[in-house]
Amino acid sequence: MNAPGAVYNYIEPQLPPHIARKPLLKIVFGDFLSATLTIVAIAIILSILPVLNWALINAHWNVASPAECQDGGACWAFIRAKARLIMFGLYPPGEQWRAVAVILLILAMILASLSPRLWNAKLLAVWATAIGVMLILMGGGIAGLRFVPTSKWGGLPVTLLLAVLSLGLAFPLAVLLALGRRSPLPVIRSISVAVIELVRGLPLVGLLFVAAILLPLLLPAGWTIDKLGRTLAALTIFAAAYLAEVIRGGLQGLDDGQIEAAEALGIPYWKMIWHIVLPQAIQNVIPPLTNTAIVMVKNTSLVLIVGVFDMLSAARSATTDPAWPAPSTEAYMFVALIYFLICFGISLYSRHLELKVSARAHG
Amino acid sequence: MFSSLWYSARLRAWAAQAALVAGVVLFVSWIAGNTATNLAERGIRTGFDYLWRPARFPISESVVTYNPSDSFFWAYVVGLANTLWLSVIAIVLATVLGLFVGLARRSSHPFLSRLAGIYVTTLRNIPLIVQLLCWYGVATSLFPAPREALQPLPGLYLSIRGVYAPSLTLAPTGAFFLMSCTLLFIAAMVAAWRYPRPSSIRRPWLLFITTAAWAVVSVALFKALGTPVGLEFPELKGLNFRGGTTLSPEFAAIILGLTIYTSAFVGEIIRGGIEAVNKGQWEGARALGLSERRIMFKVVLPQALRIIVPPLTTQYLSTVKNTTLAVAVGYPELGLVVNTVINQTGQAIESIMVMLGVFLTISLSVAVFMNWYNARVALVVR
């Protein structure tokens, strides 16, 4: 309610004050503190130089015999010689095209499912088929493929399969646990809480011990699950507990009105969960979900402790070749590089998704 | 009437829960039955009486005394002590390093923030166990022999046989000296804080003067007691070092790996906490004319701490759990001891139960502490 005849002085819109960018020299040596920090940073960079010297300048990329690697400097020729062992483990050399096919298939499937627009039930079915094809490719025994027991599987395909399968199997389990934890029924809630907190309270190494050593004692004599299957079970349960907590966060962030509206419309519980609750809840927690995915990719490397032959174990066994002089650092750096590429790729993708979601939310 | 029972939500809920309980009970009894049959078939002894039998296996290093004639129970204690020892050192070092990393990432200095960014990204995307094995590989294959040991700091030697550092030597009066110094310091600090200060002296000056007075008294006491505390430096004698403290390559690799890996996460937590404090807090404090450092320590950090502490505790807890990866390089923490006991006795169930019990106890007590802390902090929120 403005008084009639009042005079308003409108302020002309103004641009924000111009702040001149400092010249680099001033930022770097402007005052005492920044000068000190610059010197510290340069000292750190200088202390890395001997490492670069070892890794690049003094390195041996190509040697005629392992003995040439004796005189210090990184021995990258070792990686070249052992690449097959590190990548494929003890998989029969004549059949290694199958392992390559599995790696390519996983990469292709991941590339094909990057766009959130394609996330639907059909994609799930394609993934299930693809994983079945991968297992048949690795194991063989039908369609003219030679049978390869899981004890001979190894290297990168095992790492990738463990990561994809444990996350894929854990996800539905995690949804059930998260829903159970939010359930009004006391028995269901307490069982879910107990499972989640028990698993999250234990180190993964402990669970792997249980799977590798205890599980054969707990199951009837006739049931033999091979070691790969047992470690996969441990990884799955571990992932499920952590994913469940992430999904619970998403459920908590969901507006109650969504559920009330669905109930008012008479939509059955599971339909409501599938079509209304989960799509929104999961969209809210994409960053922590991808974070858990990174953690699980890294965790697959722990299977080394119970003697499953993943990429890291393969690298370790490669370093025991007495013909080469002490090449373990190079081997682990190579494995580290592969893990880094996978995990950094996932985190870049997560950042991209996050931007996309927030762009849609803000119009 | 039956149809109304069929559609009763309460009845359905109770029926579903009863079915679930029955399923769990059946499952557990099935597992228990299987286990009993399997154990009987393989002739494995059960029960915890093995705990008191002599262990008869060596443990390569430990913080509490151990020899192979001690009981299995004591072997577990030794493993647990090593686990906690690793955890405490790694957590303290990682927190200090992580604080620097977090502040460096936030700094406006272009080199430093980029260096810290590369550090964090690299370390967070490589599995810890790969890093541990890599450091162990460096320590056991790239480090030189003791004769040509690397010397990054005076008195600290890196060699293929392990890491040698100066050790503290206590004369008989040493304990007395250390204790009285500590007590004097506490007394001086309390006096400086609590005693009504003359208005002409500013607080930092007062603290400086008190600390200086304390230092003079301590040095006088040091002279009076005739060098009660000394540093013993490792010295090269023949083919190996004598004196000082020796860290095995295993221990050095784990501490280095755990510290560096954890510091990247701690750095991100601290940076996140500081960034989560509302920008208005900085602007308001600047408008009041506070200096940047006072804003950081008096306004921003206390608020950031409330955000930092919960994820930081989770990180500490996972560091404790991560010490089990020391199995991969052969440092005898609890996991490795458990593994050895299983090989020695075959009593896998009991041994793994001990391990799970210990870690559950640690995790749950931390969870209880966290709930207490959150409740306390929540009261402060206005």
Side-chain angles (χ1 to χ4, degrees):
Chain A
M1 290 289 126
N2 296 320
V7 179
Y8 298 103
N9 290 322
Y10 289 105
I11 299 170
E12 284 289 310
Q14 286 178 342
L15 288 173
H18 180 70
I19 300 170
R21 271 189 69 191
K22 275 195 193 168
L24 183 67
L25 203 67
K26 196 132 196 202
I27 301 177
V28 174
F29 283 109
D31 56 41
F32 178 70
L33 182 67
S34 46
T36 321
L37 291 180
T38 307
I39 290 167
V40 169
I42 290 173
I44 293 173
I45 295 170
L46 283 182
S47 70
I48 299 173
L49 283 185
V51 179
L52 289 184
N53 196 12
W54 172 83
L56 298 174
I57 296 168
N58 286 346
H60 304 272
W61 301 88
N62 231 335
V63 291
S65 83
E68 283 178 39
C69 274
Q70 292 286 8
D71 61 336
C75 185
W76 301 116
F78 170 77
I79 304 293
R80 193 178 271 227
K82 296 286 180 184
R84 265 179 179 238
L85 178 57
I86 297 176
M87 294 305 261
F88 306 122
L90 299 174
Y91 209 75
E95 309 284 328
Q96 278 174 2
W97 62 270
R98 285 156 57 179
V100 175
V102 167
I103 296 174
L104 291 179
L105 191 53
I106 290 186
L107 286 181
M109 283 304 298
I110 289 172
L111 283 179
S113 35
L114 282 183
S115 165
R117 244 175 305 163
L118 297 174
W119 295 354
N120 52 28
K122 215 186 270 171
L123 186 67
L124 273 184
V126 175
W127 262 105
T129 324
I131 286 177
V133 171
M134 288 173 210
L135 293 178
I136 291 172
L137 264 176
M138 282 302 279
I142 57 168
L145 293 172
R146 222 179 87 197
F147 175 66
V148 181
T150 56
S151 54
K152 291 268 181 205
W153 298 14
L156 187 57
V158 167
T159 297
L160 291 177
L161 276 176
L162 280 177
V164 170
L165 278 175
S166 65
L167 280 168
L169 295 174
F171 202 82
L173 214 59
V175 169
L176 287 182
L177 283 173
L179 289 173
R181 192 161 186 173
R182 308 242 316 146
S183 159
L185 308 178
V187 174
I188 292 180
R189 192 175 56 238
S190 36
I191 290 178
S192 307
V193 171
V195 170
I196 292 174
E197 294 303 327
L198 200 72
V199 174
R200 278 163 37 100
L202 298 173
L204 180 54
V205 174
L207 281 181
L208 287 172
F209 277 176
V210 171
I213 304 170
L214 277 196
L215 214 56
L217 286 176
L218 303 182
L219 295 176
W223 297 33
T224 46
I225 309 178
D226 63 23
K227 205 187 239 169
L228 196 63
R230 297 201 302 261
T231 41
L232 178 62
L235 285 172
T236 303
I237 291 171
F238 189 79
Y242 281 83
L243 284 175
E245 284 297 275
V246 173
I247 294 172
R248 181 168 73 112
L251 294 176
Q252 274 171 347
L254 196 64
D255 192 347
D256 282 343
Q258 296 285 333
I259 294 171
E260 285 161 10
E263 278 170 350
L265 289 171
I267 299 174
Y269 180 77
W270 288 110
K271 274 200 168 154
M272 171 181 85
I273 296 291
W274 180 250
H275 291 292
I276 296 167
V277 174
L278 278 186
Q280 301 184 60
I282 287 171
Q283 194 177 335
N284 288 340
V285 288
I286 284 174
L289 275 182
T290 44
N291 229 348
T292 314
I294 294 176
V295 170
M296 282 314 293
V297 170
K298 291 196 286 175
N299 275 341
T300 55
S301 55
L302 299 199
V303 299
L304 161 125
I305 287 172
V306 290
V308 168
F309 216 64
D310 75 327
M311 185 170 52
L312 184 59
S313 324
R316 184 155 81 161
S317 74
T319 62
T320 53
D321 185 343
W324 293 83
S328 58
T329 315
E330 290 89 333
Y332 296 132
M333 280 188 164
F334 177 66
V335 173
L337 177 70
I338 294 176
Y339 274 109
F340 178 81
L341 291 178
I342 298 174
C343 297
F344 190 57
I346 301 176
S347 71
L348 283 184
Y349 172 64
S350 149
R351 220 171 296 166
H352 157 82
L353 265 191
E354 223 177 306
L355 285 179
K356 225 172 179 177
V357 167
S358 73
R360 197 165 44 182
H362 298 298
Chain B
M1 187 211 151
F2 284 112
S3 72
S4 72
L5 274 185
W6 176 249
Y7 287 113
S8 152
R10 277 177 61 113
L11 194 69
R12 280 190 161 202
W14 283 111
Q17 298 194 71
L20 190 64
V21 172
V24 170
V25 170
L26 274 178
F27 181 72
V28 170
S29 55
W30 179 68
I31 294 278
N34 291 336
T35 314
T37 330
N38 285 330
L39 289 178
E41 264 176 21
R42 298 177 198 190
I44 299 174
R45 277 201 283 180
T46 53
F48 280 97
D49 47 343
Y50 75 100
L51 282 179
W52 313 113
R53 279 188 273 135
R56 294 209 189 84
F57 62 85
I59 292 181
S60 57
E61 55 187 308
S62 66
V63 283
V64 292
T65 54
Y66 172 84
N67 62 63
S69 61
D70 287 332
S71 64
F72 281 106
F73 174 76
W74 190 248
Y76 285 138
V77 173
V78 169
L80 178 59
N82 281 346
T83 294
L84 295 178
W85 175 234
L86 275 183
S87 312
V88 169
I89 295 185
I91 285 174
V92 170
L93 293 180
T95 309
V96 175
L97 192 57
L99 188 65
F100 283 117
V101 172
L103 292 179
R105 268 207 90 176
R106 256 195 61 78
S107 88
S108 54
H109 196 283
F111 296 172
L112 211 58
S113 61
R114 241 156 259 176
L115 266 182
I118 294 172
Y119 178 87
V120 167
T121 315
T122 313
L123 293 173
R124 293 212 311 172
N125 284 316
I126 297 171
L128 174 58
I129 190 167
V130 179
Q131 296 187 28
L132 286 180
L133 287 171
C134 199
W135 289 122
Y136 189 58
V138 170
T140 52
S141 69
L142 293 187
F143 278 0
R147 260 171 201 289
E148 296 111 36
L150 299 171
Q151 196 179 6
L153 294 170
L156 187 71
Y157 296 92
L158 308 177
S159 83
I160 202 159
R161 298 255 190 101
V163 175
Y164 299 87
S167 68
L168 213 58
T169 51
L170 291 182
T173 49
F176 170 73
F177 172 73
L178 285 181
M179 260 166 64
S180 41
C181 275
T182 318
L183 286 179
L184 278 176
F185 185 73
I186 294 171
M189 284 299 113
V190 168
W193 279 110
R194 303 297 295 270
Y195 199 71
R197 88 190 133 97
S199 54
S200 56
I201 306 177
R202 285 177 54 199
R203 179 84 72 197
W205 267 115
L206 192 65
L207 276 181
F208 178 74
I209 293 167
T210 332
T211 315
W214 169 77
V216 169
V217 172
S218 304
V219 169
L221 193 64
F222 188 84
K223 293 274 183 227
L225 290 172
T227 321
V229 178
L231 275 182
E232 192 188 37
F233 283 88
E235 272 176 67
L236 191 63
K237 289 231 174 89
L239 287 176
N240 213 339
F241 282 94
R242 295 273 165 75
T245 330
T246 314
L247 307 176
S248 66
E250 290 82 15
F251 185 80
I254 295 157
I255 285 296
L256 195 63
L258 260 182
T259 303
I260 289 180
Y261 181 79
T262 314
S263 71
F265 286 86
V266 171
E268 280 301 271
I269 291 170
I270 290 175
R271 179 179 77 108
I274 294 174
E275 275 174 7
V277 173
N278 196 326
K279 229 174 83 186
Q281 298 287 334
W282 285 94
E283 290 163 358
R286 275 189 203 128
L288 289 174
L290 295 178
S291 71
E292 292 290 306
R293 198 182 316 146
R294 279 178 81 93
I295 300 176
M296 189 63 166
F297 285 100
K298 296 276 177 188
V299 179
V300 176
L301 268 189
Q303 299 183 65
L305 219 54
R306 198 182 297 158
I307 306 164
I308 289 171
V309 168
L312 200 59
T313 343
T314 315
Q315 188 57 49
Y316 288 165
L317 194 53
S318 53
T319 305
V320 175
K321 289 191 263 176
N322 278 340
T323 57
T324 48
L325 300 194
V327 171
V329 295
Y331 180 81
E333 45 67 65
L334 188 61
L336 190 69
V337 171
V338 161
N339 213 356
T340 319
V341 171
I342 293 175
N343 290 338
Q344 293 267 316
T345 62
Q347 293 196 304
I349 298 178
E350 292 86 350
S351 204
I352 287 179
M353 293 242 275
V354 167
M355 178 175 176
L356 301 189
V358 164
F359 278 102
L360 272 186
T361 314
I362 296 176
S363 302
L364 293 181
S365 32
V366 170
V368 167
F369 163 77
M370 272 320 297
N371 287 340
W372 171 82
Y373 178 84
N374 281 337
R376 218 185 75 112
V377 168
L379 284 179
V380 185
V381 176
R382 280 180 267 271

